[in-house]
Every structure is written in C-alpha cells, then in structure tokens.
Amino acid sequence: VQLQASGGGVAQSGGSLRLSCVASGNIGSINEMEWYRQAPGKQRELVATTTSDHRTSYVPSVKGRFTISRDNAKNTAYLQMDSLRLEDTGVYYCNAVVVIYGVGIRTFWGCGTLVTVSS
C-alpha cells in the first residue's frame, strides 16, 4: 500500500490550498485517514481526521479554516485549507489506517508535501 500526497505549495497569508492523498495497492478498506503537519523545529502534530463514515475532527488551531473530506470510492482524502496563516507553514503528511484482507490492519504514511505561507 502506498500513499501519495500532493497539492502543497506557496500561498499568501489569507489564501487557500487544497491537499490530496491517494492510497493505492492491496486495500480492502480504509478506516481513518488523517493529515498531520510538522512545522520547522516542532514535533509532528495531528491536524485533522476523517473516518470511513465521514465523521471529522480537527486540532483547535485549524477549526473553521480547514476542511477534511474523503472519497471512499477513490481511496482519497482531501484537506481544504482556507484563511491560511503563517503558522500553518510546514510539511503535511497523510496517514491511513488500512484493512488488508488476509493480513490485518496496518497504518501507512505518505511522503509529505510542503506548505509555505508567506506574508
């Protein structure tokens, strides 16, 4: 199973970016899909989670600005980031909890995509 994250780039403060994370490979089903980020000099933090039945949760600092969603048919999760702030700068990683038939439940990570917010 592989996760491919894309959509990072440079945006001005107050602007928007949309990240995508596509899972491929021997996938039975996907439970949670999540976005994490790691700012320079800081630990990786959980930003948003979506479950297989589309329930969502967010870290308080992005509530009302970021929206996580998923397309189960495409094994894809999205992170719509609006009203970006300088402190949103970092490498964004996607994560998926995957059910692999005959194997069990495993967690996979994407390689990360860089988001830079400029003033």
Side-chain angles (χ1 to χ4, degrees):
V1 175
Q2 292 184 330
L3 298 184
Q4 180 65 50
S6 62
V10 180
Q12 285 193 325
S13 180
S16 298
L17 286 172
R18 188 190 194 212
L19 307 183
S20 298
C21 174
V22 181
S24 61
N26 184 24
I27 298 170
S29 61
I30 302 177
N31 295 338
E32 293 79 15
M33 296 189 80
E34 299 175 320
W35 287 97
Y36 286 72
R37 68 184 176 191
Q38 187 163 18
K42 294 188 177 181
Q43 290 188 328
R44 191 175 298 188
E45 67 168 345
L46 175 61
V47 175
T49 300
T50 177
T51 64
S52 57
D53 57 354
H54 303 283
R55 288 175 290 136
T56 60
S57 61
Y58 301 91
V59 67
S61 61
V62 307
K63 277 185 179 179
R65 300 189 299 119
F66 290 11
T67 303
I68 188 171
S69 60
R70 64 191 284 171
D71 183 331
N72 289 335
K74 296 181 179 179
N75 291 330
T76 300
Y78 306 95
L79 186 67
Q80 177 66 40
M81 304 186 295
D82 298 318
S83 302
L84 283 164
R85 302 171 180 169
L86 296 178
E87 56 264 37
D88 294 321
T89 294
V91 179
Y92 284 68
Y93 299 89
C94 62
N95 162 302
V97 179
V98 179
V99 177
I100 303 175
Y101 293 145
V103 176
I105 300 174
R106 300 287 186 269
T107 298
F108 296 91
W109 289 87
C111 289
T113 184
L114 178 62
V115 171
T116 303
V117 183
S118 62
S119 58

PDB file of all heavy atoms in Angstrom, residues 53-79:
ATOM      1  N   ASP A  53     -16.982   6.660   7.796  1.00  0.00           N
ATOM      2  CA  ASP A  53     -18.361   7.160   7.658  1.00  0.00           C
ATOM      3  C   ASP A  53     -18.392   8.689   7.690  1.00  0.00           C
ATOM      4  O   ASP A  53     -19.414   9.289   8.011  1.00  0.00           O
ATOM      5  CB  ASP A  53     -19.270   6.579   8.742  1.00  0.00           C
ATOM      6  CG  ASP A  53     -18.780   6.877  10.153  1.00  0.00           C
ATOM      7  OD1 ASP A  53     -17.685   7.441  10.282  1.00  0.00           O
ATOM      8  OD2 ASP A  53     -19.485   6.526  11.117  1.00  0.00           O
ATOM      9  N   HIS A  54     -17.231   9.305   7.346  1.00  0.00           N
ATOM     10  CA  HIS A  54     -17.139  10.742   7.100  1.00  0.00           C
ATOM     11  C   HIS A  54     -17.270  11.620   8.341  1.00  0.00           C
ATOM     12  O   HIS A  54     -17.508  12.820   8.215  1.00  0.00           O
ATOM     13  CB  HIS A  54     -18.146  11.190   6.025  1.00  0.00           C
ATOM     14  CG  HIS A  54     -17.987  10.476   4.731  1.00  0.00           C
ATOM     15  ND1 HIS A  54     -16.996  10.760   3.816  1.00  0.00           N
ATOM     16  CD2 HIS A  54     -18.682   9.437   4.200  1.00  0.00           C
ATOM     17  CE1 HIS A  54     -17.094   9.952   2.788  1.00  0.00           C
ATOM     18  NE2 HIS A  54     -18.098   9.127   2.987  1.00  0.00           N
ATOM     19  N   ARG A  55     -17.110  11.045   9.522  1.00  0.00           N
ATOM     20  CA  ARG A  55     -17.008  11.904  10.698  1.00  0.00           C
ATOM     21  C   ARG A  55     -15.647  12.583  10.675  1.00  0.00           C
ATOM     22  O   ARG A  55     -14.673  12.015  10.187  1.00  0.00           O
ATOM     23  CB  ARG A  55     -17.205  11.100  11.976  1.00  0.00           C
ATOM     24  CG  ARG A  55     -18.638  10.647  12.228  1.00  0.00           C
ATOM     25  CD  ARG A  55     -18.732   9.755  13.449  1.00  0.00           C
ATOM     26  NE  ARG A  55     -18.117   8.464  13.203  1.00  0.00           N
ATOM     27  CZ  ARG A  55     -17.320   7.850  14.066  1.00  0.00           C
ATOM     28  NH1 ARG A  55     -17.021   8.419  15.221  1.00  0.00           N
ATOM     29  NH2 ARG A  55     -16.814   6.676  13.782  1.00  0.00           N
ATOM     30  N   THR A  56     -15.576  13.795  11.195  1.00  0.00           N
ATOM     31  CA  THR A  56     -14.336  14.558  11.139  1.00  0.00           C
ATOM     32  C   THR A  56     -13.993  15.157  12.499  1.00  0.00           C
ATOM     33  O   THR A  56     -14.864  15.379  13.340  1.00  0.00           O
ATOM     34  CB  THR A  56     -14.432  15.698  10.119  1.00  0.00           C
ATOM     35  OG1 THR A  56     -15.507  16.576  10.494  1.00  0.00           O
ATOM     36  CG2 THR A  56     -14.693  15.173   8.716  1.00  0.00           C
ATOM     37  N   SER A  57     -12.724  15.418  12.684  1.00  0.00           N
ATOM     38  CA  SER A  57     -12.267  16.125  13.873  1.00  0.00           C
ATOM     39  C   SER A  57     -11.040  16.930  13.494  1.00  0.00           C
ATOM     40  O   SER A  57     -10.341  16.595  12.527  1.00  0.00           O
ATOM     41  CB  SER A  57     -11.951  15.161  15.016  1.00  0.00           C
ATOM     42  OG  SER A  57     -10.919  14.276  14.655  1.00  0.00           O
ATOM     43  N   TYR A  58     -10.784  18.002  14.254  1.00  0.00           N
ATOM     44  CA  TYR A  58      -9.710  18.936  13.925  1.00  0.00           C
ATOM     45  C   TYR A  58      -8.974  19.378  15.183  1.00  0.00           C
ATOM     46  O   TYR A  58      -9.555  19.455  16.269  1.00  0.00           O
ATOM     47  CB  TYR A  58     -10.291  20.189  13.249  1.00  0.00           C
ATOM     48  CG  TYR A  58     -11.054  19.912  11.987  1.00  0.00           C
ATOM     49  CD1 TYR A  58     -12.428  19.670  12.022  1.00  0.00           C
ATOM     50  CD2 TYR A  58     -10.409  19.899  10.750  1.00  0.00           C
ATOM     51  CE1 TYR A  58     -13.134  19.413  10.867  1.00  0.00           C
ATOM     52  CE2 TYR A  58     -11.115  19.652   9.589  1.00  0.00           C
ATOM     53  CZ  TYR A  58     -12.470  19.402   9.654  1.00  0.00           C
ATOM     54  OH  TYR A  58     -13.178  19.150   8.500  1.00  0.00           O
ATOM     55  N   VAL A  59      -7.724  19.719  14.998  1.00  0.00           N
ATOM     56  CA  VAL A  59      -6.993  20.390  16.063  1.00  0.00           C
ATOM     57  C   VAL A  59      -7.592  21.784  16.193  1.00  0.00           C
ATOM     58  O   VAL A  59      -8.006  22.387  15.185  1.00  0.00           O
ATOM     59  CB  VAL A  59      -5.481  20.434  15.734  1.00  0.00           C
ATOM     60  CG1 VAL A  59      -5.197  21.328  14.540  1.00  0.00           C
ATOM     61  CG2 VAL A  59      -4.682  20.866  16.940  1.00  0.00           C
ATOM     62  N   PRO A  60      -7.716  22.331  17.399  1.00  0.00           N
ATOM     63  CA  PRO A  60      -8.403  23.624  17.567  1.00  0.00           C
ATOM     64  C   PRO A  60      -7.857  24.752  16.693  1.00  0.00           C
ATOM     65  O   PRO A  60      -8.618  25.613  16.247  1.00  0.00           O
ATOM     66  CB  PRO A  60      -8.197  23.927  19.059  1.00  0.00           C
ATOM     67  CG  PRO A  60      -8.127  22.578  19.691  1.00  0.00           C
ATOM     68  CD  PRO A  60      -7.391  21.723  18.702  1.00  0.00           C
ATOM     69  N   SER A  61      -6.568  24.752  16.417  1.00  0.00           N
ATOM     70  CA  SER A  61      -5.973  25.867  15.682  1.00  0.00           C
ATOM     71  C   SER A  61      -6.438  25.951  14.224  1.00  0.00           C
ATOM     72  O   SER A  61      -6.257  27.000  13.585  1.00  0.00           O
ATOM     73  CB  SER A  61      -4.450  25.775  15.725  1.00  0.00           C
ATOM     74  OG  SER A  61      -4.010  24.586  15.116  1.00  0.00           O
ATOM     75  N   VAL A  62      -7.036  24.891  13.691  1.00  0.00           N
ATOM     76  CA  VAL A  62      -7.477  24.936  12.293  1.00  0.00           C
ATOM     77  C   VAL A  62      -8.995  24.851  12.150  1.00  0.00           C
ATOM     78  O   VAL A  62      -9.517  24.939  11.029  1.00  0.00           O
ATOM     79  CB  VAL A  62      -6.820  23.815  11.455  1.00  0.00           C
ATOM     80  CG1 VAL A  62      -5.304  23.842  11.617  1.00  0.00           C
ATOM     81  CG2 VAL A  62      -7.391  22.451  11.771  1.00  0.00           C
ATOM     82  N   LYS A  63      -9.703  24.678  13.233  1.00  0.00           N
ATOM     83  CA  LYS A  63     -11.172  24.587  13.164  1.00  0.00           C
ATOM     84  C   LYS A  63     -11.755  25.832  12.539  1.00  0.00           C
ATOM     85  O   LYS A  63     -11.382  26.953  12.890  1.00  0.00           O
ATOM     86  CB  LYS A  63     -11.751  24.394  14.566  1.00  0.00           C
ATOM     87  CG  LYS A  63     -11.749  22.959  15.044  1.00  0.00           C
ATOM     88  CD  LYS A  63     -12.462  22.837  16.391  1.00  0.00           C
ATOM     89  CE  LYS A  63     -12.496  21.398  16.860  1.00  0.00           C
ATOM     90  NZ  LYS A  63     -13.152  21.257  18.179  1.00  0.00           N
ATOM     91  N   GLY A  64     -12.678  25.617  11.601  1.00  0.00           N
ATOM     92  CA  GLY A  64     -13.301  26.739  10.924  1.00  0.00           C
ATOM     93  C   GLY A  64     -12.515  27.241   9.732  1.00  0.00           C
ATOM     94  O   GLY A  64     -13.015  28.058   8.960  1.00  0.00           O
ATOM     95  N   ARG A  65     -11.289  26.766   9.562  1.00  0.00           N
ATOM     96  CA  ARG A  65     -10.456  27.194   8.425  1.00  0.00           C
ATOM     97  C   ARG A  65     -10.124  26.029   7.497  1.00  0.00           C
ATOM     98  O   ARG A  65     -10.040  26.218   6.282  1.00  0.00           O
ATOM     99  CB  ARG A  65      -9.144  27.812   8.939  1.00  0.00           C
ATOM    100  CG  ARG A  65      -9.335  29.017   9.821  1.00  0.00           C
ATOM    101  CD  ARG A  65      -7.996  29.701  10.118  1.00  0.00           C
ATOM    102  NE  ARG A  65      -7.053  28.842  10.824  1.00  0.00           N
ATOM    103  CZ  ARG A  65      -5.858  28.484  10.334  1.00  0.00           C
ATOM    104  NH1 ARG A  65      -5.460  28.900   9.145  1.00  0.00           N
ATOM    105  NH2 ARG A  65      -5.051  27.716  11.058  1.00  0.00           N
ATOM    106  N   PHE A  66      -9.920  24.852   8.051  1.00  0.00           N
ATOM    107  CA  PHE A  66      -9.574  23.666   7.271  1.00  0.00           C
ATOM    108  C   PHE A  66     -10.772  22.724   7.220  1.00  0.00           C
ATOM    109  O   PHE A  66     -11.530  22.622   8.200  1.00  0.00           O
ATOM    110  CB  PHE A  66      -8.401  22.927   7.902  1.00  0.00           C
ATOM    111  CG  PHE A  66      -7.062  23.626   7.806  1.00  0.00           C
ATOM    112  CD1 PHE A  66      -6.945  24.946   7.398  1.00  0.00           C
ATOM    113  CD2 PHE A  66      -5.906  22.944   8.131  1.00  0.00           C
ATOM    114  CE1 PHE A  66      -5.727  25.586   7.327  1.00  0.00           C
ATOM    115  CE2 PHE A  66      -4.671  23.554   8.068  1.00  0.00           C
ATOM    116  CZ  PHE A  66      -4.580  24.874   7.670  1.00  0.00           C
ATOM    117  N   THR A  67     -10.887  22.022   6.108  1.00  0.00           N
ATOM    118  CA  THR A  67     -11.944  21.023   5.951  1.00  0.00           C
ATOM    119  C   THR A  67     -11.336  19.745   5.394  1.00  0.00           C
ATOM    120  O   THR A  67     -10.744  19.760   4.307  1.00  0.00           O
ATOM    121  CB  THR A  67     -13.043  21.515   5.013  1.00  0.00           C
ATOM    122  OG1 THR A  67     -13.583  22.755   5.498  1.00  0.00           O
ATOM    123  CG2 THR A  67     -14.165  20.484   4.917  1.00  0.00           C
ATOM    124  N   ILE A  68     -11.504  18.653   6.141  1.00  0.00           N
ATOM    125  CA  ILE A  68     -11.044  17.352   5.652  1.00  0.00           C
ATOM    126  C   ILE A  68     -12.237  16.617   5.063  1.00  0.00           C
ATOM    127  O   ILE A  68     -13.359  16.702   5.578  1.00  0.00           O
ATOM    128  CB  ILE A  68     -10.372  16.527   6.781  1.00  0.00           C
ATOM    129  CG1 ILE A  68      -9.726  15.271   6.204  1.00  0.00           C
ATOM    130  CG2 ILE A  68     -11.354  16.198   7.892  1.00  0.00           C
ATOM    131  CD1 ILE A  68      -8.862  14.507   7.210  1.00  0.00           C
ATOM    132  N   SER A  69     -12.001  15.926   3.959  1.00  0.00           N
ATOM    133  CA  SER A  69     -13.056  15.145   3.336  1.00  0.00           C
ATOM    134  C   SER A  69     -12.413  13.924   2.673  1.00  0.00           C
ATOM    135  O   SER A  69     -11.182  13.827   2.603  1.00  0.00           O
ATOM    136  CB  SER A  69     -13.819  15.977   2.301  1.00  0.00           C
ATOM    137  OG  SER A  69     -12.945  16.423   1.274  1.00  0.00           O
ATOM    138  N   ARG A  70     -13.255  13.014   2.202  1.00  0.00           N
ATOM    139  CA  ARG A  70     -12.716  11.826   1.551  1.00  0.00           C
ATOM    140  C   ARG A  70     -13.686  11.305   0.527  1.00  0.00           C
ATOM    141  O   ARG A  70     -14.900  11.523   0.608  1.00  0.00           O
ATOM    142  CB  ARG A  70     -12.373  10.754   2.580  1.00  0.00           C
ATOM    143  CG  ARG A  70     -13.561  10.214   3.341  1.00  0.00           C
ATOM    144  CD  ARG A  70     -13.115   9.355   4.505  1.00  0.00           C
ATOM    145  NE  ARG A  70     -12.662   8.034   4.084  1.00  0.00           N
ATOM    146  CZ  ARG A  70     -12.071   7.166   4.883  1.00  0.00           C
ATOM    147  NH1 ARG A  70     -11.840   7.483   6.149  1.00  0.00           N
ATOM    148  NH2 ARG A  70     -11.695   5.965   4.457  1.00  0.00           N
ATOM    149  N   ASP A  71     -13.114  10.601  -0.428  1.00  0.00           N
ATOM    150  CA  ASP A  71     -13.897   9.905  -1.449  1.00  0.00           C
ATOM    151  C   ASP A  71     -13.521   8.427  -1.305  1.00  0.00           C
ATOM    152  O   ASP A  71     -12.430   8.013  -1.720  1.00  0.00           O
ATOM    153  CB  ASP A  71     -13.540  10.441  -2.836  1.00  0.00           C
ATOM    154  CG  ASP A  71     -14.375   9.816  -3.938  1.00  0.00           C
ATOM    155  OD1 ASP A  71     -14.815   8.654  -3.779  1.00  0.00           O
ATOM    156  OD2 ASP A  71     -14.565  10.469  -4.970  1.00  0.00           O
ATOM    157  N   ASN A  72     -14.393   7.650  -0.703  1.00  0.00           N
ATOM    158  CA  ASN A  72     -14.063   6.252  -0.426  1.00  0.00           C
ATOM    159  C   ASN A  72     -13.868   5.441  -1.710  1.00  0.00           C
ATOM    160  O   ASN A  72     -13.050   4.526  -1.747  1.00  0.00           O
ATOM    161  CB  ASN A  72     -15.150   5.627   0.439  1.00  0.00           C
ATOM    162  CG  ASN A  72     -15.126   6.154   1.867  1.00  0.00           C
ATOM    163  OD1 ASN A  72     -14.103   6.601   2.351  1.00  0.00           O
ATOM    164  ND2 ASN A  72     -16.270   6.104   2.537  1.00  0.00           N
ATOM    165  N   ALA A  73     -14.623   5.780  -2.734  1.00  0.00           N
ATOM    166  CA  ALA A  73     -14.501   5.044  -3.995  1.00  0.00           C
ATOM    167  C   ALA A  73     -13.120   5.238  -4.632  1.00  0.00           C
ATOM    168  O   ALA A  73     -12.639   4.367  -5.356  1.00  0.00           O
ATOM    169  CB  ALA A  73     -15.586   5.493  -4.962  1.00  0.00           C
ATOM    170  N   LYS A  74     -12.508   6.382  -4.351  1.00  0.00           N
ATOM    171  CA  LYS A  74     -11.193   6.697  -4.920  1.00  0.00           C
ATOM    172  C   LYS A  74     -10.061   6.516  -3.915  1.00  0.00           C
ATOM    173  O   LYS A  74      -8.904   6.810  -4.221  1.00  0.00           O
ATOM    174  CB  LYS A  74     -11.183   8.138  -5.440  1.00  0.00           C
ATOM    175  CG  LYS A  74     -12.144   8.394  -6.591  1.00  0.00           C
ATOM    176  CD  LYS A  74     -12.055   9.840  -7.063  1.00  0.00           C
ATOM    177  CE  LYS A  74     -12.995  10.093  -8.225  1.00  0.00           C
ATOM    178  NZ  LYS A  74     -12.936  11.506  -8.690  1.00  0.00           N
ATOM    179  N   ASN A  75     -10.388   6.048  -2.709  1.00  0.00           N
ATOM    180  CA  ASN A  75      -9.368   5.900  -1.654  1.00  0.00           C
ATOM    181  C   ASN A  75      -8.560   7.184  -1.483  1.00  0.00           C
ATOM    182  O   ASN A  75      -7.329   7.162  -1.364  1.00  0.00           O
ATOM    183  CB  ASN A  75      -8.435   4.722  -1.959  1.00  0.00           C
ATOM    184  CG  ASN A  75      -9.128   3.384  -1.847  1.00  0.00           C
ATOM    185  OD1 ASN A  75     -10.062   3.211  -1.065  1.00  0.00           O
ATOM    186  ND2 ASN A  75      -8.689   2.425  -2.640  1.00  0.00           N
ATOM    187  N   THR A  76      -9.254   8.287  -1.479  1.00  0.00           N
ATOM    188  CA  THR A  76      -8.603   9.594  -1.467  1.00  0.00           C
ATOM    189  C   THR A  76      -9.154  10.461  -0.346  1.00  0.00           C
ATOM    190  O   THR A  76     -10.358  10.475  -0.108  1.00  0.00           O
ATOM    191  CB  THR A  76      -8.807  10.310  -2.810  1.00  0.00           C
ATOM    192  OG1 THR A  76      -8.246   9.509  -3.854  1.00  0.00           O
ATOM    193  CG2 THR A  76      -8.139  11.674  -2.815  1.00  0.00           C
ATOM    194  N   ALA A  77      -8.259  11.175   0.306  1.00  0.00           N
ATOM    195  CA  ALA A  77      -8.636  12.173   1.300  1.00  0.00           C
ATOM    196  C   ALA A  77      -8.146  13.534   0.834  1.00  0.00           C
ATOM    197  O   ALA A  77      -7.136  13.643   0.132  1.00  0.00           O
ATOM    198  CB  ALA A  77      -8.034  11.840   2.661  1.00  0.00           C
ATOM    199  N   TYR A  78      -8.860  14.548   1.232  1.00  0.00           N
ATOM    200  CA  TYR A  78      -8.524  15.919   0.858  1.00  0.00           C
ATOM    201  C   TYR A  78      -8.427  16.774   2.122  1.00  0.00           C
ATOM    202  O   TYR A  78      -9.074  16.490   3.131  1.00  0.00           O
ATOM    203  CB  TYR A  78      -9.601  16.518  -0.058  1.00  0.00           C
ATOM    204  CG  TYR A  78      -9.888  15.688  -1.281  1.00  0.00           C
ATOM    205  CD1 TYR A  78     -10.937  14.775  -1.289  1.00  0.00           C
ATOM    206  CD2 TYR A  78      -9.102  15.798  -2.419  1.00  0.00           C
ATOM    207  CE1 TYR A  78     -11.206  14.001  -2.396  1.00  0.00           C
ATOM    208  CE2 TYR A  78      -9.359  15.029  -3.538  1.00  0.00           C
ATOM    209  CZ  TYR A  78     -10.418  14.137  -3.524  1.00  0.00           C
ATOM    210  OH  TYR A  78     -10.675  13.366  -4.632  1.00  0.00           O
ATOM    211  N   LEU A  79      -7.643  17.828   2.013  1.00  0.00           N
ATOM    212  CA  LEU A  79      -7.601  18.826   3.077  1.00  0.00           C
ATOM    213  C   LEU A  79      -7.688  20.192   2.418  1.00  0.00           C
ATOM    214  O   LEU A  79      -6.738  20.650   1.782  1.00  0.00           O
ATOM    215  CB  LEU A  79      -6.323  18.716   3.917  1.00  0.00           C
ATOM    216  CG  LEU A  79      -6.290  19.636   5.145  1.00  0.00           C
ATOM    217  CD1 LEU A  79      -7.348  19.191   6.161  1.00  0.00           C
ATOM    218  CD2 LEU A  79      -4.903  19.632   5.785  1.00  0.00           C
TER     219      LEU A  79
END
